[in-house]
Every structure is written in C-alpha cells, then in structure tokens.
Amino acid sequence: MIQRIQSFLLVLVVVGAVLMFMFPMATYSIPDPESGDVVTASIDLLPKDKAVAGDTTASNIQVLMKEGPSVWPMAVLAAIIGLIALVSIFLYKNRIRQMRVVSFGFLVNIVYIGLIFLLYVDKVANLLAPVNPTGMPPMTHYSIGTWTPFVTAILLFLAQRAIRSDEIKVQSADRLR
C-alpha cells in the first residue's frame, strides 16, 4: 500500500540501497611526484576495473586496492538492507511483523555504517600510506555511497515509528468496538 507513509519511506530506503551500489564509499587522492598529477582510488561495492598504463604510482595503487579488504561483505549487507525494506513493504497486513522486520533492517544498517567507518575506510587509507610520497595516509573524500546509509537509517527509523503509530490507532479502534 503506497498510500501509507511508511511504504513511501521504505521505497526510499530501497532507492538508497541501490545508490549504495552506484557510488563509491570513499575516494582517496595521492599526489604523484613524477607527473605532478593526483592519482585517485576508490572503494566501490561493485568493483570497476580501471586500466592504467605507464603510471607506476597508479598501478601500485591498483595492486594495493586489490590486496585490501574485500568489499563483498559490504555489498551483501547493502543488498540485505534493500531486500528487507522491499519485503517489509508487502507485510502491511501484519504490522507487528513489519515493525520487527524494519527494526532488523535498521540494525543491519547500523552495522553497515560501523563497518564503513571502523574497518574499511581507515584500513584502505593505511594500506595506501606507503604509496604516498609523504608517507602520510592519502586524502580521503567521502562520497554519496558513504552518506546514503545514514539517510536510509533515518528513513527506516521513521518508517518503524509510522508503523507503530498505525498499530496504536488500530488497537484503540478495536477497544472502541
């Protein structure tokens, strides 16, 4: 039922989960002293193969990114978040179950956010530090793929509150009968 606000919020969560796959989690910039250019690397849920020819810094970064932490657990979590939101849209007849499923999706989303900041972004930055001529970790730029899980967590929380308020209204109407 799309006319209910929680269904609309859950559709937005599904769109947010798709956006997580389309944009990188983080982009790293490292200055290349040989050419004077800035070499970039990014963490993507769907790996994009970038062929770089002749640039040693860029090829070293590509090798290190492949040796870095695997992103498939993050891709699985993002897919689970989208799938939970999609399934919970169709549970509108059983609001209690819908609330539980949305709450579980919220918890998975919080785990996803924690993994982004505590594990993946910092680990890759430390992995790329030896390539940087200054020896410092590279400049990290957070992308839409980093901030989308925060938006989806807020949307899941608001959807859960709307489902709860619907359940309270139905229970009060049942008491009047």
Side-chain angles (χ1 to χ4, degrees), residues 1 4 10 84-102 163:
M1 294 181 60
R4 292 174 43 207
L10 292 170
I84 285 173
L86 187 63
V87 166
S88 64
I89 291 171
F90 299 106
L91 294 176
Y92 61 88
K93 290 183 181 179
N94 189 346
R95 284 174 296 280
I96 300 297
R97 182 177 294 156
Q98 189 180 27
M99 254 192 303
R100 289 181 183 154
V101 169
V102 170
I163 296 166

Side-chain angles (χ1 to χ4, degrees), residues 52-114:
V52 179
D55 192 355
T56 57
T57 305
S59 61
N60 288 342
I61 289 173
Q62 293 302 322
V63 168
L64 286 174
M65 289 298 284
K66 289 182 181 180
E67 292 175 0
S70 175
V71 293
W72 71 265
M74 298 298 284
V76 168
L77 283 177
I80 288 173
I81 291 167
L83 188 64
I84 285 173
L86 187 63
V87 166
S88 64
I89 291 171
F90 299 106
L91 294 176
Y92 61 88
K93 290 183 181 179
N94 189 346
R95 284 174 296 280
I96 300 297
R97 182 177 294 156
Q98 189 180 27
M99 254 192 303
R100 289 181 183 154
V101 169
V102 170
S103 297
F104 179 70
F106 179 77
L107 289 175
V108 171
N109 203 347
I110 296 300
V111 168
Y112 183 84
I113 292 170

Side-chain angles (χ1 to χ4, degrees), residues 95 165-177:
R95 284 174 296 280
S165 70
D166 273 2
E167 182 61 25
I168 290 171
K169 287 178 191 175
V170 168
Q171 287 177 356
S172 67
D174 286 344
R175 274 193 300 261
L176 293 175
R177 287 186 200 171

Side-chain angles (χ1 to χ4, degrees), residues 28-43:
Y28 302 97
S29 300
I30 298 173
D32 186 12
E34 296 171 4
S35 65
D37 293 333
V38 176
V39 180
T40 61
S42 62
I43 304 175

